[in-house]
mmCIF file of all heavy atoms in Angstrom:
data_model
loop_
_atom_site.group_PDB
_atom_site.id
_atom_site.type_symbol
_atom_site.label_atom_id
_atom_site.label_comp_id
_atom_site.label_asym_id
_atom_site.label_seq_id
_atom_site.Cartn_x
_atom_site.Cartn_y
_atom_site.Cartn_z
ATOM 1 N N GLY A 283 -3.476 10.422 -25.302
ATOM 2 C CA GLY A 283 -3.394 11.845 -24.976
ATOM 3 C C GLY A 283 -4.236 12.279 -23.801
ATOM 4 O O GLY A 283 -4.223 13.450 -23.424
ATOM 5 N N ALA A 284 -4.990 11.369 -23.220
ATOM 6 C CA ALA A 284 -5.820 11.724 -22.063
ATOM 7 C C ALA A 284 -5.272 11.060 -20.808
ATOM 8 O O ALA A 284 -4.655 9.999 -20.877
ATOM 9 C CB ALA A 284 -7.266 11.276 -22.288
ATOM 10 N N ALA A 285 -5.518 11.696 -19.674
ATOM 11 C CA ALA A 285 -5.265 11.016 -18.402
ATOM 12 C C ALA A 285 -6.446 10.102 -18.138
ATOM 13 O O ALA A 285 -7.581 10.398 -18.514
ATOM 14 C CB ALA A 285 -5.128 12.032 -17.281
ATOM 15 N N MET A 286 -6.174 8.948 -17.538
ATOM 16 C CA MET A 286 -7.236 8.001 -17.225
ATOM 17 C C MET A 286 -7.106 7.595 -15.767
ATOM 18 O O MET A 286 -6.001 7.323 -15.295
ATOM 19 C CB MET A 286 -7.102 6.786 -18.141
ATOM 20 C CG MET A 286 -8.278 5.845 -18.104
ATOM 21 S SD MET A 286 -8.102 4.663 -16.743
ATOM 22 C CE MET A 286 -9.483 3.605 -17.025
ATOM 23 N N VAL A 287 -8.225 7.637 -15.046
ATOM 24 C CA VAL A 287 -8.250 7.212 -13.653
ATOM 25 C C VAL A 287 -9.396 6.231 -13.467
ATOM 26 O O VAL A 287 -10.519 6.492 -13.901
ATOM 27 C CB VAL A 287 -8.435 8.413 -12.691
ATOM 28 C CG1 VAL A 287 -8.527 7.934 -11.248
ATOM 29 C CG2 VAL A 287 -7.290 9.402 -12.839
ATOM 30 N N GLY A 288 -9.101 5.112 -12.848
ATOM 31 C CA GLY A 288 -10.140 4.143 -12.507
ATOM 32 C C GLY A 288 -10.427 4.222 -11.020
ATOM 33 O O GLY A 288 -9.536 4.013 -10.202
ATOM 34 N N LEU A 289 -11.664 4.541 -10.682
ATOM 35 C CA LEU A 289 -12.056 4.678 -9.281
ATOM 36 C C LEU A 289 -12.811 3.443 -8.822
ATOM 37 O O LEU A 289 -13.431 2.749 -9.637
ATOM 38 C CB LEU A 289 -12.974 5.899 -9.102
ATOM 39 C CG LEU A 289 -12.398 7.260 -9.446
ATOM 40 C CD1 LEU A 289 -13.448 8.344 -9.159
ATOM 41 C CD2 LEU A 289 -11.144 7.541 -8.638
ATOM 42 N N PRO A 290 -12.814 3.185 -7.521
ATOM 43 C CA PRO A 290 -13.626 2.081 -6.999
ATOM 44 C C PRO A 290 -15.114 2.379 -7.175
ATOM 45 O O PRO A 290 -15.524 3.535 -7.282
ATOM 46 C CB PRO A 290 -13.252 2.025 -5.519
ATOM 47 C CG PRO A 290 -12.646 3.345 -5.199
ATOM 48 C CD PRO A 290 -12.077 3.893 -6.465
ATOM 49 N N GLY A 291 -15.920 1.328 -7.185
ATOM 50 C CA GLY A 291 -17.326 1.468 -7.520
ATOM 51 C C GLY A 291 -18.256 1.790 -6.371
ATOM 52 O O GLY A 291 -19.385 2.222 -6.603
ATOM 53 N N ASN A 292 -17.815 1.599 -5.134
ATOM 54 C CA ASN A 292 -18.701 1.972 -4.032
ATOM 55 C C ASN A 292 -19.000 3.454 -4.124
ATOM 56 O O ASN A 292 -18.081 4.263 -4.294
ATOM 57 C CB ASN A 292 -18.031 1.683 -2.682
ATOM 58 C CG ASN A 292 -18.395 0.321 -2.148
ATOM 59 O OD1 ASN A 292 -19.487 -0.175 -2.427
ATOM 60 N ND2 ASN A 292 -17.496 -0.278 -1.389
ATOM 61 N N PRO A 293 -20.275 3.834 -3.994
ATOM 62 C CA PRO A 293 -20.627 5.242 -4.226
ATOM 63 C C PRO A 293 -19.823 6.218 -3.375
ATOM 64 O O PRO A 293 -19.327 7.222 -3.879
ATOM 65 C CB PRO A 293 -22.116 5.289 -3.866
ATOM 66 C CG PRO A 293 -22.616 3.905 -4.112
ATOM 67 C CD PRO A 293 -21.474 2.999 -3.759
ATOM 68 N N VAL A 294 -19.685 5.938 -2.095
ATOM 69 C CA VAL A 294 -18.983 6.900 -1.253
ATOM 70 C C VAL A 294 -17.494 6.896 -1.574
ATOM 71 O O VAL A 294 -16.843 7.947 -1.586
ATOM 72 C CB VAL A 294 -19.248 6.605 0.233
ATOM 73 C CG1 VAL A 294 -18.425 7.527 1.113
ATOM 74 C CG2 VAL A 294 -20.732 6.779 0.537
ATOM 75 N N SER A 295 -16.941 5.721 -1.894
ATOM 76 C CA SER A 295 -15.524 5.672 -2.287
ATOM 77 C C SER A 295 -15.293 6.542 -3.514
ATOM 78 O O SER A 295 -14.308 7.293 -3.582
ATOM 79 C CB SER A 295 -15.116 4.234 -2.615
ATOM 80 O OG SER A 295 -15.406 3.376 -1.554
ATOM 81 N N ALA A 296 -16.180 6.423 -4.485
ATOM 82 C CA ALA A 296 -16.000 7.196 -5.716
ATOM 83 C C ALA A 296 -16.047 8.691 -5.427
ATOM 84 O O ALA A 296 -15.227 9.462 -5.939
ATOM 85 C CB ALA A 296 -17.071 6.811 -6.735
#
Side-chain angles (χ1 to χ4, degrees):
Chain A
M286 191 275 186
V287 177
L289 298 182
N292 267 330
V294 175
S295 305

